[in-house]
Amino acid sequence: MLDIVQLRKDLPATVARLETRKQPQPYLDVAAYQALEGERKTLQTRTEELQAQRNSVSKQIGMLKGKGQHAEADAAMAQVGAIKAELEAGAARLDLIQAELQALLMAVPNLPHESVPVGGDESGNVEVRRWSPGGKGPRAFDFPVRDHVDLGAPLGLDFETGALLSGSRFSFLRGPIARLHRALAQFMLDVQTLEHGYTECYTPYIVNREALEGTGQLPKFKEDMFWVYRGKGPGDAGAGGGDDAATEQYLISTSEISLTNTVRERVLAESELPIKLTAHSPCFRSEAGSAGRDTRGMIRQHQFDKVEMVQITHPDQSYEALEQMVGHAEAILQKLELPYRVVALCTGDMGFAAAKTYDLEVWVPAQDTYREISSCSNCEAFQARRMQARFKNAQGKNELVHTLNGSGLAVGRALVAVLENHQNADGSISVPVALRPYLGGLERLAAE
């Protein structure tokens, strides 16, 4: 959530920065905000006047009684009673205004950092660097390239069973490809924990509304989530039944949600920072996705696995941490010998909570292009303000932390990239050297 003090200080500049994001949209209803803010100021000024008036009149009551002026004292007491009633009504209205301002700001995205390139969509993104094994660029094949669907089928990649069980955009893995999928996740976790200093976590896959509000998925993106009511519903009988007894819960779209919320409503010691967490989890997204190539295969699924990285940092160190986090994701791709590029997202292509984002895009030979496999973002204090996640600074005051998240990596897309980049003419897959210990020393993956 944006800092309301910043809005009050310089509304035009804040709105101008918001408008560099993807258009068209009214990110902030300026008229509604100004009406609420104007009423808030008026009420607060009136409250201060009434409090001063009450204090003055209250002092007079004792003096009037001491002088035997009981009628005047009674009139003063009645005036204090009227002031009290107006103060209570004003306080109630102020609470409503604050709630309306909160609801208004909960739907407003983060401000782009000044270093973010301005652009309306992905065409405005800026490539930062490329990497490939040996620095020679993507591999040149001397045989017809197959895509991961054709390569995966003999290895146990089964979309028909996935559709039978759950519908479109679900897959079923068995045998060699299931083993490869597991190996990739374990390999990624080991690199992030043993080499990069993250603490491995196992988190719930179902979270409450407050967790999603904290990281920014709610209220704006509810329709992108899978969600359920837990408990009694409207048709249930018995004591405590009905809608009021039901709890709204959500399947996580990323373990960023659960990892970041571990510091919600906490005041950390400065010495605890940075906190570096990682977790392997399934991720659930009901987003429709794009047509064409994304409807085939594993590129865009409703359920997929990901190894997530989260950092909770001191505000002065968050941009250094962002660069490090990008490097932590790059290390996985390099060890897997996969060509990739790093892209700085423009203002019009960034996610809701991000102040700055880098995407890592891996080379997908069958599509003859780079596809996103990791997104690393600094959210600055945007999520922390929603979660009230703070630390006690050197001056002994509570200050909001900065939160960062990144994929290290998306397991399914890594599987796609390994299959396609390391395929052989006979349909087998050469296993990258770094991955072989996780497959019992296997050098080549082939149909059983």
Side-chain angles (χ1 to χ4, degrees), residues 147-174 177 181 293-304 367 412-413 415-416 419-420:
D147 73 2
H148 69 279
V149 177
D150 292 337
L151 291 165
L155 302 175
L157 179 57
D158 183 351
F159 292 102
E160 290 186 5
T161 300
L164 176 68
L165 297 173
S166 304
S168 63
R169 295 185 186 253
F170 289 90
S171 56
F172 191 96
L173 279 62
R174 58 166 63 87
I177 203 161
H181 188 272
R293 62 186 179 183
D294 283 348
T295 61
R296 175 176 167 85
M298 296 183 69
I299 291 293
R300 193 177 293 273
Q301 298 267 280
H302 288 315
Q303 176 186 317
F304 59 96
Q367 296 184 4
R413 292 195 178 191
L415 184 146
V416 168
L419 291 180
E420 294 198 11

Side-chain angles (χ1 to χ4, degrees), residues 223-373:
E223 298 309 314
D224 291 340
M225 309 291 295
F226 283 103
W227 50 282
V228 296
Y229 282 108
R230 179 187 177 201
K232 294 183 180 294
D236 295 330
D243 286 333
D244 290 343
T247 301
E248 196 173 305
Q249 292 190 305
Y250 297 78
L251 295 173
I252 60 172
S253 54
T254 164
S255 59
E256 168 208 341
I257 296 163
S258 40
L259 292 174
T260 307
N261 271 279
T262 58
V263 296
R264 190 175 82 208
E265 298 175 5
R266 290 180 59 193
V267 179
L268 305 164
E270 188 171 359
S271 59
E272 293 181 74
L273 303 177
I275 296 172
K276 299 167 66 176
L277 307 174
T278 188
H280 165 227
S281 77
C283 305
F284 305 89
R285 299 185 184 179
S286 65
E287 59 191 7
S290 55
R293 62 186 179 183
D294 283 348
T295 61
R296 175 176 167 85
M298 296 183 69
I299 291 293
R300 193 177 293 273
Q301 298 267 280
H302 288 315
Q303 176 186 317
F304 59 96
D305 280 34
K306 183 153 64 84
V307 171
E308 185 72 5
M309 305 176 289
V310 161
Q311 290 201 34
I312 314 296
T313 74
H314 190 288
D316 294 344
Q317 299 166 357
S318 65
Y319 278 95
E320 179 183 354
L322 176 61
E323 300 297 330
Q324 292 173 350
M325 185 175 284
V326 172
H328 297 158
E330 287 184 81
I332 301 292
L333 290 168
Q334 291 178 12
K335 289 175 185 289
L336 293 175
E337 304 165 45
L338 297 173
Y340 69 89
R341 66 176 186 168
V342 178
V343 175
L345 297 196
C346 70
T347 53
D349 200 32
M350 287 199 307
F352 180 80
K356 184 172 185 176
T357 298
Y358 291 105
D359 273 5
L360 276 70
E361 299 177 349
V362 69
W363 180 253
V364 180
Q367 296 184 4
D368 195 33
T369 193
Y370 292 93
R371 300 302 304 273
E372 179 196 339
I373 194 168

